[in-house]
């Protein structure tokens, strides 16, 4: 059991808070990449509120852990996390992606505190993360680098060049995630450009693969603990099976919500749905936690 019941419940509460902030931010902005933001919110939550060693008062602390959000369009989920962690002012969320805001659709590392790499051009994040992890090795640093990729961006050749590099150089201070929500901008991944057998491909490229329910915080914790305890020279890939728009019933699993806008009725429906989703998840934590 990776988490105590108390930890699990606390993380469920935080994830619920952040999902609601993501929905609010989408509403304030008038639109956003809410589908892929919601699907990776549990990964972001557990990294920032359980594992990552960061200091909001000193965002450039040399020994901090790094996160590279390769699926940079999910900034609409990352921004609330960085606000909740204390890096940025909550009022900035109300201007997300609006003219003059520091928070654009893809978060800029020169404008948003806590962002180590500007991403959004898909495929770039894993090569950046590999370089960051190798830099830690060269400098004798002990920090971890985490990289979150989307499954759709795994159509990009750069992802697989990065994967080859990570395996070749034995970059084991890097923990990779794929947010496997089965959707991309134009349709289901398996219809647009089939990825399966996806886990086997990562294994063939030299990774140890842990497949988990990406909407189960305890399973994510167990996989991260496994990666941290890894004593081989192979990097670890956590293949997180998720749901596009997780928690918002009116958009769940619909690739058309890669990007979208909500009217007042849809927004209120989303709020109600998130509360039901939270209660169901809280009940699971109470039942399965120890």
């Amino acid at each position: 059991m990776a988490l105590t019941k108390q930890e699990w419940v606390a993380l469920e509460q935080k994830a619920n808070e952040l999902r609601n902030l993501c929905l609010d931010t989408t509403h304030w902005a008038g639109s956003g990449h809410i589908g892929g933001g919601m699907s990776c919110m549990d990964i972001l939550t557990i990294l920032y509120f359980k594992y990552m060693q960061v200091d909001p008062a000193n965002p450039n602390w040399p020994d901090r852990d790094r996160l590279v959000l390769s699926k940079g369009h999910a900034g609409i989920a990352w921004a609330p996390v960085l606000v909740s962690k204390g890096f940025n002012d909550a009022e900035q969320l109300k201007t997300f992606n609006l003219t003059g805001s520091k928070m654009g659709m893809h978060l800029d590392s020169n404008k948003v505190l806590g962002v180590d790499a500007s991403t959004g051009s898909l495929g770039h994040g894993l090569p950046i993360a590999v370089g960051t992890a190798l830099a830690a090795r060269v400098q004798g640093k002990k920090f971890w680098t985490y990289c979150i990729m989307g499954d759709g961006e795994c159509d990009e050749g750069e992802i697989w060049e990065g994967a080859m590099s990570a395996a070749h150089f034995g970059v084991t201070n890097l923990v990779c995630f794929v947010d496997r929500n089965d959707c991309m901008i134009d349709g289901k991944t398996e219809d647009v450009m089939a990825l399966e057998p996806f886990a086997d491909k990562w294994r063939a490229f030299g990774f140890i693969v842990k497949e988990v329910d990406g909407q189960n915080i305890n399973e994510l914790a167990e996989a991260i603990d496994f990666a941290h305890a890894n004593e081989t020279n192979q990097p670890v890939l956590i293949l997180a099976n998720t749901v596009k728009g997780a928690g918002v019933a009116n958009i769940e699993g619909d690739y058309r919500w890669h990007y979208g806008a909500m009217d007042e009725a849809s927004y209120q429906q989303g709020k109600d749905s998130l509360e039901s989703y939270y209660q169901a998840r809280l009940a699971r934590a109470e039942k399965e936690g120890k």
Side-chain angles (χ1 to χ4, degrees):
M1 188 73 186
L3 301 173
T4 66
K5 180 188 288 189
Q6 184 179 12
E7 287 178 312
W8 193 349
V9 167
L11 286 165
E12 290 289 359
Q13 291 170 340
K14 177 57 69 174
N16 178 59
E17 172 194 321
L18 293 169
R19 282 190 290 269
N20 274 278
L21 266 179
C22 181
L23 180 62
D24 291 342
T25 303
T26 304
H27 191 53
W28 292 325
S31 60
H33 296 90
I34 187 172
M38 289 293 192
S39 62
C40 70
M41 186 61 87
D42 291 303
I43 300 171
L44 289 168
T45 300
I46 197 165
L47 285 177
Y48 276 95
F49 294 94
K50 167 67 176 174
Y51 288 100
M52 287 181 64
Q53 299 298 307
V54 294
D55 182 1
N58 184 14
N60 295 318
W61 175 38
D63 294 319
R64 70 191 182 280
D65 291 334
R66 271 73 164 174
L67 173 70
V68 179
L69 185 65
S70 191
K71 49 173 288 177
H73 55 284
I76 205 157
W78 195 14
V81 172
L82 294 173
V83 163
S84 184
K85 192 67 179 177
F87 283 100
N88 300 280
D89 187 340
E91 289 299 306
Q92 291 185 41
L93 296 178
K94 295 179 180 178
T95 65
F96 187 90
N97 205 43
L98 302 182
T99 302
S101 177
K102 291 183 178 180
M103 289 188 172
M105 193 62 70
H106 302 92
L107 300 184
D108 187 334
S109 62
N110 293 313
K111 297 179 180 179
V112 183
L113 296 178
V115 175
D116 287 309
S118 302
T119 56
S121 296
L122 297 180
H124 291 186
L126 182 56
I128 293 171
V130 171
T132 302
L134 285 171
R137 179 189 296 176
V138 170
Q139 295 172 357
K141 299 287 187 181
K142 300 297 183 182
F143 66 79
W144 287 91
T145 297
Y146 301 92
C147 180
I148 303 174
M149 294 166 275
D151 48 3
E153 77 169 316
C154 291
D155 289 342
E156 300 281 352
E158 287 168 289
I159 290 291
W160 301 103
E161 291 178 57
M164 283 192 292
S165 297
H168 178 78
F169 293 110
V171 187
T172 55
N173 57 341
L174 167 69
V175 182
C176 298
F177 299 81
V178 174
D179 177 15
R180 182 65 164 129
N181 61 33
D182 297 317
C183 295
M184 54 196 300
I185 190 169
D186 291 325
K188 293 286 188 178
T189 57
E190 300 312 287
D191 295 333
V192 177
M193 182 67 71
L195 293 167
E196 296 297 340
F198 198 29
D200 289 341
K201 288 175 181 174
W202 285 98
R203 293 185 183 104
F205 272 73
F207 279 70
I208 300 171
V209 178
K210 296 291 286 185
E211 279 199 73
V212 301
D213 176 352
Q215 257 75 70
N216 186 315
I217 284 176
N218 191 61
E219 286 192 24
L220 286 167
E222 289 175 341
I224 296 167
D225 286 348
F226 172 86
H228 286 176
N230 174 31
E231 295 184 352
T232 76
N233 66 349
Q234 292 179 266
V236 173
L237 183 283
I238 299 172
L239 187 55
N241 294 300
T242 61
V243 177
K244 193 91 165 180
V248 184
N250 45 316
I251 71 172
E252 279 188 338
D254 188 344
Y255 76 85
R256 293 171 297 181
W257 278 96
H258 176 83
Y259 183 93
M262 287 188 164
D263 59 20
E264 192 64 31
S266 296
Y267 170 68
Q268 291 301 329
Q269 186 179 355
K271 281 288 188 178
D272 292 342
S273 177
L274 284 177
E275 178 59 24
S276 298
Y277 184 67
Y278 170 55
Q279 292 302 326
R281 290 183 48 148
L282 195 58
R284 177 177 64 185
E286 292 284 1
K287 179 181 178 180
E288 297 179 13
K290 298 177 182 178

